[in-house]
Coordinates of all heavy atoms in Angstrom, one line a residue:
Chain A
Y35 N 135.2 54.7 216.4 CA 134.5 55.7 217.2 C 134.6 57.1 216.6 O 133.7 57.9 216.9 CB 135.2 55.8 218.6 CG 135.1 54.5 219.5 CD1 136.3 53.9 220.0 CD2 133.9 54.0 219.8 CE1 136.2 52.7 220.7 CE2 133.8 52.9 220.6 CZ 134.9 52.3 221.0 OH 134.8 51.2 221.8
V36 N 135.7 57.4 215.9 CA 136.0 58.8 215.6 C 134.8 59.4 214.8 O 134.3 60.5 215.1 CB 137.2 58.9 214.7 CG1 137.5 60.3 214.3 CG2 138.4 58.3 215.5
I39 N 131.7 59.8 217.2 CA 132.0 60.9 218.1 C 131.8 62.2 217.4 O 131.2 63.1 218.0 CB 133.4 60.8 218.8 CG1 133.4 59.6 219.8 CG2 133.8 62.0 219.5 CD1 134.7 59.3 220.3
G42 N 128.2 62.9 217.1 CA 127.6 63.3 218.4 C 128.0 64.7 218.8 O 127.2 65.5 219.3
L43 N 129.2 65.1 218.5 CA 129.7 66.5 218.8 C 128.9 67.5 218.0 O 128.6 68.6 218.5 CB 131.2 66.6 218.6 CG 132.1 66.1 219.6 CD1 133.6 66.2 219.2 CD2 132.0 66.9 220.9
T46 N 125.5 68.1 219.8 CA 125.6 68.9 221.0 C 126.0 70.3 220.6 O 125.6 71.2 221.2 CB 126.6 68.3 222.0 OG1 127.9 67.9 221.4 CG2 126.1 67.0 222.7
L47 N 127.0 70.4 219.6 CA 127.4 71.8 219.3 C 126.3 72.6 218.7 O 126.1 73.8 218.8 CB 128.6 71.7 218.3 CG 129.9 71.4 218.9 CD1 131.0 71.2 217.8 CD2 130.3 72.6 219.7
H49 N 123.1 72.3 219.4 CA 122.3 72.8 220.5 C 122.9 73.9 221.2 O 122.3 74.9 221.6 CB 122.0 71.6 221.5 CG 120.8 70.8 221.1 ND1 119.6 70.9 221.8 CD2 120.6 69.8 220.3 CE1 118.7 70.1 221.2 NE2 119.4 69.4 220.3
F50 N 124.3 73.7 221.5 CA 125.0 74.7 222.2 C 124.9 76.1 221.5 O 124.5 77.1 222.2 CB 126.4 74.3 222.4 CG 127.2 75.4 223.1 CD1 127.1 75.7 224.4 CD2 128.2 76.1 222.3 CE1 127.9 76.6 225.0 CE2 128.9 77.1 223.0 CZ 128.8 77.4 224.2
N53 N 121.2 77.6 221.4 CA 120.7 78.0 222.7 C 121.5 79.2 223.2 O 121.0 80.2 223.7 CB 120.8 76.9 223.7 CG 119.8 75.9 223.4 OD1 118.7 76.1 222.9 ND2 120.0 74.6 223.8
F54 N 122.9 79.1 222.9 CA 123.7 80.3 223.4 C 123.4 81.5 222.6 O 123.3 82.6 223.2 CB 125.2 79.9 223.1 CG 126.2 80.8 223.7 CD1 126.3 81.1 225.0 CD2 127.0 81.6 222.8 CE1 127.2 81.9 225.5 CE2 127.9 82.5 223.3 CZ 128.0 82.7 224.6
M57 N 120.1 82.8 223.9 CA 120.3 83.5 225.3 C 120.9 84.8 225.2 O 120.6 85.8 225.8 CB 121.2 82.6 226.2 CG 120.5 81.3 226.5 SD 119.2 81.6 227.8 CE 120.1 82.0 229.2
R62 N 115.0 83.6 223.0 CA 114.6 82.2 223.3 C 113.1 82.1 223.3 O 112.4 83.1 223.6 CB 115.2 81.7 224.6 CG 114.6 82.1 225.8 CD 115.4 81.7 227.0 NE 114.8 82.0 228.3 CZ 114.1 81.2 229.1 NH1 114.0 79.9 228.7 NH2 113.7 81.6 230.2
D72 N 112.2 74.2 219.8 CA 113.4 73.8 220.5 C 114.0 75.1 221.2 O 113.8 76.2 220.7 CB 114.4 73.3 219.4 CG 114.1 71.9 219.0 OD1 113.3 71.3 219.7 OD2 114.6 71.4 218.0
G73 N 114.7 74.8 222.2 CA 115.3 75.9 222.9 C 115.4 75.7 224.4 O 114.9 74.6 224.8
V74 N 115.9 76.6 225.2 CA 116.0 76.4 226.6 C 114.6 76.4 227.2 O 113.9 77.3 227.0 CB 116.8 77.5 227.2 CG1 116.8 77.5 228.7 CG2 118.2 77.5 226.8
A75 N 114.3 75.3 227.9 CA 112.9 75.1 228.3 C 112.7 75.5 229.8 O 111.6 75.2 230.3 CB 112.5 73.7 228.1
T76 N 113.7 76.1 230.4 CA 113.6 76.3 231.9 C 112.8 77.5 232.1 O 112.9 78.5 231.4 CB 115.0 76.6 232.4 OG1 116.0 75.6 232.0 CG2 115.0 76.7 233.9
Q78 N 112.1 80.5 234.5 CA 112.7 81.2 235.7 C 111.5 81.6 236.6 O 111.1 82.7 236.5 CB 113.5 82.3 235.1 CG 114.6 82.0 234.2 CD 115.7 81.4 235.0 OE1 116.3 82.2 235.7 NE2 116.2 80.2 234.7
Y79 N 111.2 80.7 237.6 CA 109.8 80.8 238.2 C 109.4 82.2 238.8 O 108.5 82.7 238.2 CB 109.5 79.7 239.2 CG 108.3 80.0 239.9 CD1 107.1 79.9 239.2 CD2 108.2 80.3 241.2 CE1 105.9 80.2 239.7 CE2 107.0 80.6 241.8 CZ 105.8 80.5 241.1 OH 104.6 80.8 241.7
P80 N 110.1 82.7 239.7 CA 109.4 83.9 240.3 C 109.3 85.0 239.2 O 108.4 85.8 239.3 CB 110.3 84.3 241.4 CG 111.2 83.2 241.8 CD 111.3 82.4 240.4
E81 N 110.2 85.1 238.2 CA 110.2 86.1 237.3 C 109.2 85.7 236.1 O 108.5 86.6 235.6 CB 111.5 86.5 236.7 CG 112.5 87.1 237.6 CD 113.3 86.0 238.4 OE1 113.4 84.9 237.9 OE2 113.9 86.4 239.5
Chain B
R57 N 127.4 76.2 232.7 CA 126.5 76.8 231.7 C 126.6 76.2 230.4 O 125.6 76.1 229.7 CB 127.0 78.3 231.5 CG 126.7 79.2 232.8 CD 125.4 79.1 233.4 NE 124.3 79.6 232.6 CZ 123.8 80.8 232.6 NH1 124.3 81.7 233.4 NH2 122.7 81.1 232.0
Q58 N 127.8 75.7 229.9 CA 127.9 75.0 228.6 C 127.0 73.8 228.6 O 126.2 73.6 227.6 CB 129.3 74.7 228.3 CG 129.5 74.2 226.9 CD 130.9 73.7 226.7 OE1 131.7 73.5 227.6 NE2 131.3 73.6 225.4
A60 N 124.5 73.2 230.3 CA 123.0 73.6 230.4 C 122.6 73.9 228.9 O 121.5 73.5 228.5 CB 122.9 74.8 231.2
M61 N 123.5 74.7 228.2 CA 123.1 75.1 226.9 C 122.9 73.9 226.0 O 122.1 73.8 225.1 CB 124.2 76.0 226.3 CG 124.3 77.4 226.8 SD 122.8 78.4 226.7 CE 122.1 78.4 228.4
I62 N 123.8 72.8 226.2 CA 123.8 71.6 225.3 C 122.5 70.9 225.6 O 121.8 70.4 224.8 CB 125.0 70.7 225.7 CG1 126.2 71.4 225.1 CG2 124.8 69.4 225.0 CD1 127.5 70.7 225.6
Q63 N 122.0 70.9 226.9 CA 120.9 70.1 227.3 C 119.6 70.9 227.4 O 118.7 70.5 228.1 CB 121.2 69.5 228.7 CG 122.3 68.5 228.6 CD 122.8 68.0 229.9 OE1 122.4 68.6 230.9 NE2 123.7 67.0 229.9
D64 N 119.6 72.1 226.7 CA 118.4 72.9 226.7 C 117.9 73.3 228.1 O 116.7 73.4 228.4 CB 117.2 72.2 226.0 CG 117.4 72.0 224.5 OD1 118.5 72.6 224.0 OD2 116.6 71.4 223.8
R65 N 118.9 73.6 228.9 CA 118.6 74.1 230.3 C 119.1 75.5 230.4 O 119.7 76.1 229.5 CB 119.2 73.2 231.4 CG 118.7 71.8 231.4 CD 119.3 71.1 232.6 NE 120.7 70.7 232.3 CZ 121.8 71.2 232.9 NH1 121.6 72.1 233.8 NH2 123.0 70.8 232.6
M66 N 118.8 76.1 231.6 CA 119.3 77.5 231.9 C 120.7 77.4 232.6 O 121.5 78.3 232.3 CB 118.3 78.1 232.7 CG 118.5 79.6 232.9 SD 118.2 80.5 231.3 CE 116.6 81.0 231.5
N69 N 122.3 80.3 237.6 CA 122.5 81.7 237.4 C 122.0 82.6 238.5 O 121.7 83.7 238.3 CB 121.8 82.1 236.1 CG 120.3 81.9 236.1 OD1 119.8 81.2 237.0 ND2 119.6 82.3 235.1
R70 N 121.7 82.0 239.7 CA 121.1 82.7 240.7 C 121.9 83.2 241.9 O 121.5 83.8 242.9 CB 119.9 81.9 241.3 CG 118.8 81.9 240.3 CD 117.5 81.4 240.7 NE 116.5 81.5 239.7 CZ 115.8 82.6 239.5 NH1 115.9 83.6 240.3 NH2 115.0 82.6 238.5
R81 N 124.5 89.4 239.4 CA 124.4 88.0 239.2 C 125.6 87.5 238.3 O 126.0 86.4 238.4 CB 123.1 87.6 238.6 CG 122.0 87.4 239.6 CD 120.8 86.8 238.9 NE 119.7 86.7 239.9 CZ 118.5 86.3 239.6 NH1 118.2 86.0 238.3 NH2 117.6 86.2 240.5
L249 N 145.6 62.7 217.6 CA 144.4 62.0 218.1 C 144.6 61.1 219.3 O 143.8 61.1 220.2 CB 143.8 61.2 216.9 CG 142.3 61.0 216.8 CD1 141.6 62.3 216.7 CD2 141.9 60.1 215.7
L358 N 136.6 72.1 223.8 CA 136.3 70.9 223.1 C 136.2 69.7 224.1 O 135.4 68.8 223.9 CB 137.4 70.7 222.1 CG 137.2 69.4 221.1 CD1 135.9 69.7 220.3 CD2 138.4 69.2 220.2
Q361 N 133.0 69.8 225.6 CA 132.0 69.4 224.8 C 131.9 67.8 224.7 O 130.9 67.2 224.7 CB 132.2 70.0 223.4 CG 131.0 69.9 222.5 CD 130.0 71.0 222.8 OE1 130.4 72.1 223.3 NE2 128.8 70.8 222.5
I362 N 133.1 67.2 224.7 CA 133.2 65.8 224.6 C 132.5 65.2 225.9 O 131.9 64.2 225.9 CB 134.6 65.3 224.4 CG1 135.0 65.6 222.9 CG2 134.7 63.8 224.7 CD1 136.4 65.3 222.7
W364 N 130.2 66.3 227.7 CA 128.7 66.3 227.7 C 128.1 65.6 226.5 O 126.9 65.7 226.3 CB 128.2 67.7 227.8 CG 128.6 68.3 229.2 CD1 129.7 69.1 229.5 CD2 128.0 68.0 230.4 NE1 129.8 69.3 230.8 CE2 128.8 68.7 231.4 CE3 126.9 67.2 230.8 CZ2 128.5 68.6 232.8 CZ3 126.6 67.1 232.2 CH2 127.3 67.8 233.1
T365 N 128.9 65.0 225.6 CA 128.4 64.4 224.5 C 128.4 62.8 224.6 O 127.4 62.2 224.3 CB 129.3 64.7 223.2 OG1 129.3 66.1 223.1 CG2 128.7 64.1 222.0
L366 N 129.5 62.3 225.2 CA 129.6 60.8 225.3 C 129.2 60.3 226.6 O 129.4 60.9 227.6 CB 131.1 60.5 225.0 CG 131.6 60.9 223.6 CD1 133.1 60.6 223.5 CD2 130.8 60.4 222.5
F369 N 132.4 55.0 229.3 CA 132.8 53.7 228.9 C 132.8 52.7 230.1 O 133.0 53.1 231.2 CB 134.3 53.8 228.4 CG 134.5 54.3 227.0 CD1 135.2 55.4 226.8 CD2 133.8 53.7 225.9 CE1 135.4 55.9 225.5 CE2 134.0 54.2 224.7 CZ 134.8 55.3 224.4
L377 N 140.3 49.6 225.0 CA 140.7 50.7 224.1 C 142.1 51.1 224.4 O 142.8 51.5 223.4 CB 139.7 51.9 224.4 CG 139.9 53.2 223.6 CD1 139.5 53.0 222.2 CD2 139.2 54.4 224.2
I381 N 143.9 49.0 221.3 CA 143.7 49.9 220.2 C 144.7 51.0 220.1 O 145.5 51.2 219.2 CB 142.2 50.4 220.1 CG1 141.3 49.2 220.0 CG2 142.0 51.3 218.9 CD1 139.8 49.6 220.2

Side-chain angles (χ1 to χ4, degrees):
Chain A
Y35 297 124
V36 178
I39 286 174
L43 279 177
T46 50
L47 280 171
H49 273 261
F50 174 75
N53 290 331
F54 186 66
M57 290 290 286
R62 77 186 182 103
D72 285 342
V74 174
T76 311
Q78 298 280 300
Y79 174 63
E81 292 92 21
Chain B
R57 292 311 296 268
Q58 187 187 15
M61 292 296 110
I62 291 167
Q63 296 169 348
D64 290 353
R65 292 184 287 112
M66 191 66 95
N69 60 352
R70 288 191 177 269
R81 279 187 180 175
L249 209 62
L358 185 65
Q361 196 80 26
I362 288 173
W364 292 101
T365 303
L366 301 178
F369 281 120
L377 181 70
I381 300 174

